[in-house]
Amino acid sequence: MTGSAATIESRTLTPAQLTGRTRSHVIDVPHPRLTMHQEAANAFLALRAAAATAGIELSPASSFRDFDQQVAIWNDKFAGRRPLLDKNGRPLDRGALSDEAAVAAILIWSALPGASRHHWGTEVDVIDVAGLTAGQQARLVPEEFAPGGPFERLHDWLEIHAAHYGFYRPYDIDRGGVQPEPWHLSYAPIAQPALPTLTVEVLRQCLAGVELGGADVVSAGLRSIHARYVASVAAAAPAVLAANGILSPAARPS
C-alpha cells in the first residue's frame, strides 16, 4: 500500500467509528489529557505548541466522546436532570415543555447520540488557561470569546493560525441549528470527508433499540434533525483541504 493510500484509509471512518460505538480510531494523550484520532492529536499538539509561542496556553476542555456518554447527556437533559437552555443560554422549565419542545431545546446545545462530531476523534473544545484569572472556571459560552472576554486573544489567534494545522470551526455562525461555538475546533482532513458518510440511515440503524428520551419524536423527525443539526455546518476553507490532499465539494468531479 502506498503512503497516500494508507493515509486515505486511516482517515476513513466506519459507521461504528462515526457514531461513537467504538474507540478503535482514537488514542489517549496523557498531557494535555485528550482523546483523538492519532493524526488529529498530532495536529492539535502542533497547534498547541505554536499557540504557546504567543503566550496562549491552549488546552482541551473536551475531545472524544463515545455513544454511551452522549446518550447519558441526552437522557439527563430530556428527564430534566441537567439544565435545558434556550438559544440565548437562559434556563428552561422542563416540566413546561412538550417532548417535542424538549428535544428541540436539547439539540440547540447537545448533539443527538450517534450524531455528535465528538464521536469522530476529530473535534476538540478549547480554552486558553492563561486567559483565566485565579479561580476562574471556563463556561464555554460565546461571550468568553467575544471582545473583552477571557478568550478574546485565543479567538483572534485561532482565526489566523488554526487553518495552518488543519483545523476550522464548523459552528461559526447560527444556521438555524446548533448555536455558534467559537471554542469548537474540527480537524478538516478527517472530519470533512466523514460528514457525508454520516447519513440518516447510519443514524437510524445506530439508534435502533436504544433507550433514548423522546425516541418517538427523534425517529419521526430524524431526517429533519440530520439536515438542520448535522449537515448544516461550515465547510473547511478550500486552502485547508488542498493543503491536506482533499478536494472541496465544489472541486470534486461530477
Side-chain angles (χ1 to χ4, degrees):
M1 182 180 296
T2 65
S4 59
T7 299
I8 292 172
E9 182 175 318
S10 70
R11 289 173 171 174
T12 303
L13 302 182
T14 68
Q17 292 170 341
L18 284 168
T19 56
R21 291 287 201 165
T22 179
R23 294 173 55 95
S24 62
H25 56 306
V26 297
I27 63 164
D28 295 320
V29 176
H31 182 72
R33 290 186 60 184
L34 79 157
T35 302
M36 297 185 77
H37 187 286
Q38 175 76 70
E39 184 181 336
N42 291 341
F44 177 78
L45 293 176
L47 178 71
R48 173 179 160 88
T53 66
I56 293 170
E57 190 176 347
L58 185 67
S59 297
S62 178
S63 52
F64 172 75
R65 192 179 307 131
D66 68 21
F67 179 81
D68 290 341
Q69 289 175 295
Q70 199 68 26
V71 169
I73 292 170
W74 179 279
N75 285 344
D76 280 351
K77 288 192 172 187
F78 187 83
R81 293 187 294 267
R82 288 191 187 215
L84 273 179
L85 306 176
D86 67 13
K87 66 183 300 181
N88 296 311
R90 295 175 300 211
L92 295 168
D93 178 4
R94 174 63 182 96
L97 300 177
S98 66
D99 286 355
E100 290 80 4
V103 166
I106 295 170
L107 287 167
I108 292 174
W109 297 107
S110 295
L112 180 69
S116 173
R117 295 174 67 102
H118 282 280
H119 295 331
W120 304 349
T122 59
E123 315 298 297
V124 58
D125 297 336
V126 297
I127 63 172
D128 173 18
V129 173
L132 297 171
T133 58
Q136 184 179 11
Q137 297 291 320
R139 296 180 296 129
L140 292 184
V141 293
E143 293 76 23
E144 293 177 321
F145 290 76
F151 306 137
E152 175 187 5
R153 191 162 61 108
L154 170 62
H155 172 79
D156 294 343
W157 189 89
L158 289 172
E159 283 288 292
I160 298 170
H161 299 285
H164 300 311
Y165 298 86
F167 289 97
Y168 71 108
R169 288 168 164 146
Y171 305 123
D172 56 342
I173 61 173
D174 185 354
R175 291 178 168 81
V178 179
Q179 291 303 288
E181 295 186 353
W183 54 85
H184 185 130
L185 299 182
S186 184
Y187 184 63
I190 300 170
Q192 191 78 6
L195 181 58
T197 64
L198 183 62
T199 64
V200 174
E201 287 312 309
V202 167
L203 274 178
R204 196 177 298 281
Q205 292 174 20
C206 172
L207 292 170
V210 174
E211 293 187 9
L212 189 74
D216 291 345
V217 175
V218 169
S219 179
L222 189 58
R223 193 165 297 278
S224 175
I225 290 171
H226 181 277
R228 185 173 179 181
Y229 297 97
V230 178
S232 185
V233 295
V240 178
L241 301 179
N244 288 277
I246 298 174
L247 292 175
S248 66
R252 293 189 184 119
S254 59

